[in-house]
Amino acid sequence: MNSKLSVGVLGIQGDIEENKTVTQEALNHSNVKGDVKFVRYAEEIEKIDGLILPGGESTVISTLATIQGGILHTIKRRIAEGMPVLGTCAGMIMLAKRAYDRVVGETRQQLLSNLDIVVERNAFGRQDDSFEAKLSIPILGKNNEFFKGVFIRAPIVIEAGAAVDIIAKFNNRIVGVRQGNVIGTSFHPELSGDDRIHRQFIKTVLDCKRHKGVQQI
Ligand code: GLN
């Protein structure tokens, strides 16, 4: 019986170290035994209990993932089978079914399509237009303390299917979604110094695996 959670961070491009660090913190804060590791190969992705798709550049991540022996198929199948996933910024774009950009229209990049959403990339402008905003995210708990959203060339969700819960909005634009075991954020919770979104993800991973005997410490 495997008594520890094994969480993977897709370790191809983007802020992978930051995600690893905050996920380890979230495990510790949640009193859950677990390891966080970078995953790059199909056989590694087969073994994990949950996956983080980090922020970065979605076209680069999916192109390199495709070169890496078609691991996108493995990721897509495992998510469809119920593996919990957190996609932040570029990671949320990868989870979408379609992506648009104001300059080129539909971007036609390789996407996983596990989330029933359509996104607009770079919806707030370029790197220089990066900003932080206080977000109200009720799923994070009753005390309703604001979450500092860090937006860097961030996408927004322009269409969300009926099965998608909207978990965060900024200026009336959708910046956080949840569909079953899949969470997507336009912002970078790994850069906010607040592990509550990652803790929520760990809770989902734990709930998913609980019947297999994961121990609380
Ligand atoms: N604009 C990037 C993309 O399209 C995402 C930016 C980010 O992850 N900070 O992939």
Side-chain angles (χ1 to χ4, degrees), residues 202-214:
I202 291 299
K203 184 176 174 307
T204 309
V205 181
L206 188 62
D207 287 347
C208 229
K209 203 181 171 178
R210 187 160 264 150
H211 65 281
K212 293 181 188 160
V214 175

Side-chain angles (χ1 to χ4, degrees), residues 18-177:
E18 292 83 349
N19 266 294
K20 188 171 183 224
T21 303
V22 69
T23 306
Q24 194 62 63
E25 272 170 31
L27 281 165
N28 298 345
H29 277 155
S30 310
N31 290 327
V32 175
K33 278 189 185 175
D35 290 326
V36 190
K37 55 188 95 162
F38 294 135
V39 290
R40 300 185 179 94
Y41 299 100
E43 53 275 25
E44 296 169 330
I45 291 156
E46 295 289 1
K47 289 186 200 139
I48 51 178
D49 302 308
L51 176 66
I52 294 185
L53 300 175
E57 176 55 48
S58 56
T59 51
V60 174
I61 297 172
S62 49
T63 303
L64 293 177
T66 305
I67 294 167
Q68 201 97 329
I71 58 171
L72 289 180
H73 296 292
T74 309
I75 295 173
K76 186 179 165 104
R77 175 181 47 76
R78 288 235 45 215
I79 301 172
E81 288 167 357
M83 176 179 69
V85 177
L86 169 63
T88 76
C89 203
M92 181 178 79
I93 296 171
M94 290 185 63
L95 288 164
K97 57 179 190 183
R98 290 203 310 279
Y100 286 83
D101 180 301
R102 229 167 284 167
V103 181
V104 299
E106 187 165 359
T107 58
R108 301 195 181 282
Q109 64 202 92
Q110 271 249 322
L111 298 171
L112 293 161
S113 303
N114 295 95
L115 266 180
D116 188 10
I117 60 168
V118 179
V119 295
E120 179 185 333
R121 292 175 61 198
N122 305 311
F124 298 99
R126 294 171 181 275
Q127 192 85 12
D128 286 351
D129 304 309
S130 299
F131 63 97
E132 293 177 4
K134 285 181 181 173
L135 305 173
S136 162
I137 309 182
I139 65 157
L140 296 182
K142 292 193 187 73
N143 70 359
N144 217 3
E145 198 184 306
F146 285 119
F147 193 92
K148 184 174 85 181
V150 178
F151 291 82
I152 304 169
R153 290 183 298 113
I156 55 167
V157 176
I158 54 175
E159 273 178 52
V164 178
D165 294 324
I166 292 160
I167 62 168
K169 281 189 170 182
F170 170 68
N171 281 354
N172 232 10
R173 300 163 114 185
I174 302 170
V175 294
V177 289

